[in-house]
Amino acid sequence: MATPQILFVEDDVELRELVAGRLRETGYEVVTAATGPAALACVEEQVPDLVLLDIMLPELDGLEVCRRLRAAHPLLYIIMLTARSDELDRVVGLEVGADDYVTKPFSLQELVARVRAALRRIRLTEEHTAPMEVQDEEAPLTFDELHIDPVRREVRVDGEPVHLTVREFDLLLFLARHPDRPFTRMQLLDKVWDIQYEGYDRTVDSHVQRLRAKIERDPSNPRFVRTVWGVGYKFQSEQEEE
């Protein structure tokens, strides 16, 4: 199996060398960049397995870099790093396409753990897309105009392909495999994000909003991914009578 490659984008020289060194010690190949344009150039030359992307960058900030990377590479896994305390900045990062975020200051142990979990999820995604005999739990799911193929990790609405990020697909598949059952945000963080602690509720909300925008005919009145007030979210299996 090839060594996973990580692009670490950070303008602070000391932090860049410290984090890159720890990731290399863990067994990863690490490429670094100090500016937004440099990061885009690195990805253009070779698409990494994962990007660690600081928000505060010179020349082109991390949010714009994330937006451009997501547009060009829908399945690229992006973890944003932010030193800002304003939760809105982290939510905006998720809304422009980041899969996750880590707030500075962070421990190297926590960061490596998050990277390891992300790469494990990426590996499982690649294994699921490889040719294989379809088992019952991997059979396609169809709900009215929505079609989900767990093996190919494809989603179609009215026959048209919908491009989801890794997290968006995982969230939709998990909910669709448990139709009509409400889940709290903490439960979804545990099952979909592998996060077992509080403080990331808005991550779920942001991904739900993005998912609705892609699969719902009317995101403001969703047919599939429904809000359960006071609880969280559920997948509605059948169209309600009007």
Side-chain angles (χ1 to χ4, degrees), residues 11-119:
D11 63 322
D12 184 302
V13 177
E14 184 176 350
L15 179 60
R16 187 170 67 243
E17 293 179 350
L18 179 65
V19 172
R22 175 59 66 88
L23 291 171
R24 291 185 180 114
E25 290 174 358
T26 306
Y28 303 126
E29 180 182 344
V30 182
V31 176
T32 63
T35 68
L40 295 174
C42 285
V43 175
E44 185 175 352
E45 182 177 343
Q46 181 175 351
V47 180
D49 296 287
L50 182 146
V51 177
L52 287 173
L53 177 63
D54 188 31
I55 284 185
M56 299 296 291
L57 293 173
E59 300 183 40
L60 195 67
D61 69 32
L63 294 176
E64 181 59 28
V65 172
C66 182
R67 185 181 291 109
R68 296 187 188 186
L69 289 178
R70 179 58 68 218
H73 306 281
L75 297 182
L76 180 59
Y77 203 103
I78 302 172
I79 299 177
M80 300 209 73
L81 307 178
T82 174
R84 300 181 182 181
S85 59
D86 188 353
E87 186 179 6
L88 178 61
D89 293 313
R90 299 194 291 272
V91 172
V92 170
L94 292 168
E95 289 177 346
V96 298
D99 293 287
D100 202 353
Y101 65 82
V102 175
T103 304
K104 298 178 181 178
F106 52 78
S107 71
L108 289 177
Q109 182 178 359
E110 176 195 359
L111 185 62
V112 170
R114 298 284 282 279
V115 167
R116 184 181 294 114
L119 290 171

Side-chain angles (χ1 to χ4, degrees), residues 4-231:
Q5 184 182 89
I6 298 169
L7 171 61
F8 180 38
V9 190
E10 169 61 61
D11 63 322
D12 184 302
V13 177
E14 184 176 350
L15 179 60
R16 187 170 67 243
E17 293 179 350
L18 179 65
V19 172
R22 175 59 66 88
L23 291 171
R24 291 185 180 114
E25 290 174 358
T26 306
Y28 303 126
E29 180 182 344
V30 182
V31 176
T32 63
T35 68
L40 295 174
C42 285
V43 175
E44 185 175 352
E45 182 177 343
Q46 181 175 351
V47 180
D49 296 287
L50 182 146
V51 177
L52 287 173
L53 177 63
D54 188 31
I55 284 185
M56 299 296 291
L57 293 173
E59 300 183 40
L60 195 67
D61 69 32
L63 294 176
E64 181 59 28
V65 172
C66 182
R67 185 181 291 109
R68 296 187 188 186
L69 289 178
R70 179 58 68 218
H73 306 281
L75 297 182
L76 180 59
Y77 203 103
I78 302 172
I79 299 177
M80 300 209 73
L81 307 178
T82 174
R84 300 181 182 181
S85 59
D86 188 353
E87 186 179 6
L88 178 61
D89 293 313
R90 299 194 291 272
V91 172
V92 170
L94 292 168
E95 289 177 346
V96 298
D99 293 287
D100 202 353
Y101 65 82
V102 175
T103 304
K104 298 178 181 178
F106 52 78
S107 71
L108 289 177
Q109 182 178 359
E110 176 195 359
L111 185 62
V112 170
R114 298 284 282 279
V115 167
R116 184 181 294 114
L119 290 171
R120 182 172 63 249
R121 186 172 297 278
I122 293 169
R123 185 183 69 251
L124 291 174
T125 297
E126 293 172 345
E127 292 173 354
H128 287 162
T129 56
M132 64 179 69
E133 182 180 350
V134 177
Q135 305 296 323
D136 289 344
E137 66 272 14
E138 294 160 345
L141 305 172
T142 299
F143 304 90
D144 295 337
E145 69 271 18
L146 176 65
H147 181 81
I148 307 169
D149 188 330
V151 174
R152 295 182 175 83
R153 293 182 68 86
E154 294 178 348
V155 173
R156 293 180 178 272
V157 176
D158 289 326
E160 295 297 320
V162 177
H163 299 293
L164 302 182
T165 67
V166 173
R167 291 293 194 191
E168 290 166 357
F169 184 90
D170 289 345
L171 176 60
L172 175 61
L173 182 60
F174 177 78
L175 289 171
R177 281 177 167 169
H178 304 84
D180 308 312
R181 174 182 168 183
F183 290 91
T184 67
R185 291 169 177 81
M186 281 299 297
Q187 287 174 322
L188 292 173
L189 284 170
D190 181 22
K191 299 298 184 182
V192 179
W193 274 264
D194 293 326
I195 298 175
Q196 289 81 34
Y197 46 90
E198 299 179 358
Y200 290 80
D201 289 9
R202 292 295 295 274
T203 297
V204 178
D205 295 340
S206 177
H207 277 72
V208 166
Q209 292 171 9
R210 287 163 47 195
L211 184 57
R212 285 173 172 168
K214 294 180 179 182
I215 69 168
E216 302 282 2
R217 292 177 176 174
D218 181 5
S220 63
N221 183 29
R223 153 73 179 89
F224 300 107
V225 182
R226 306 290 292 273
T227 299
V228 181
W229 299 109
V231 180

